[in-house]
Amino acid sequence: MDERQALSAFAALGQEHRLRIVRALVTAGPDGLAAGVLAATVGTASNNLSFHLKDLSHAGLIQSRREGKSVIYTAAYPALSDLIQFLMRDCCQGHPEVCTPAVAALAACCTPTGDVARA
């Protein structure tokens, strides 16, 4: 991710409903959410949702797919990962303790929960 892409992503995330949309989609996982469910989840009207989705899509932070009559929205995980990497790229500068809290927070949220199936 270059600086121009990061600025576009941050501009898109710099609005309350758009940030809520991305967080809801990250929480929903790869299955995503239908537009109506997403609007109800973030507390915005459907016509306003379309406006916000357009900005997030333009910034590359979300994706959509059609399933029957529904449009399903998902977080664009590679773009979100790139944004985090862009922020953290030069973080440590030889001092890993600076980045340890951020790395630990990411590791904690990505740890599988529940029973793990055994082969």
Side-chain angles (χ1 to χ4, degrees):
M1 176 169 285
D2 63 25
E3 189 172 283
R4 181 188 54 76
Q5 293 167 315
L7 287 169
S8 175
F10 285 123
L13 292 170
Q15 198 281 338
E16 176 183 5
H17 286 105
R18 290 192 291 267
L19 182 59
R20 286 182 185 171
I21 289 166
V22 170
R23 291 189 71 186
L25 292 175
V26 166
T27 301
D31 291 338
L33 294 171
V37 173
L38 187 54
T41 301
V42 300
T44 189
S46 293
N47 59 339
N48 287 338
L49 180 72
S50 295
F51 171 78
H52 295 305
L53 292 171
K54 179 182 64 90
D55 278 358
L56 291 168
S57 180
H58 237 119
L61 299 175
I62 65 167
Q63 302 167 332
S64 64
R65 68 181 185 278
R66 184 161 291 282
E67 285 186 6
K69 293 183 180 183
S70 297
V71 177
I72 307 298
Y73 292 91
T74 57
Y77 292 101
L80 293 170
S81 293
D82 287 350
L83 185 58
I84 292 167
Q85 288 176 12
F86 176 84
L87 284 174
M88 302 298 290
R89 184 178 303 142
D90 302 316
C91 150
C92 298
Q93 298 294 312
H95 302 281
E97 69 277 3
V98 173
C99 296
T100 299
V103 172
L106 286 171
C109 78
C110 296
T111 302
T113 58
D115 292 335
V116 176
R118 298 172 201 249

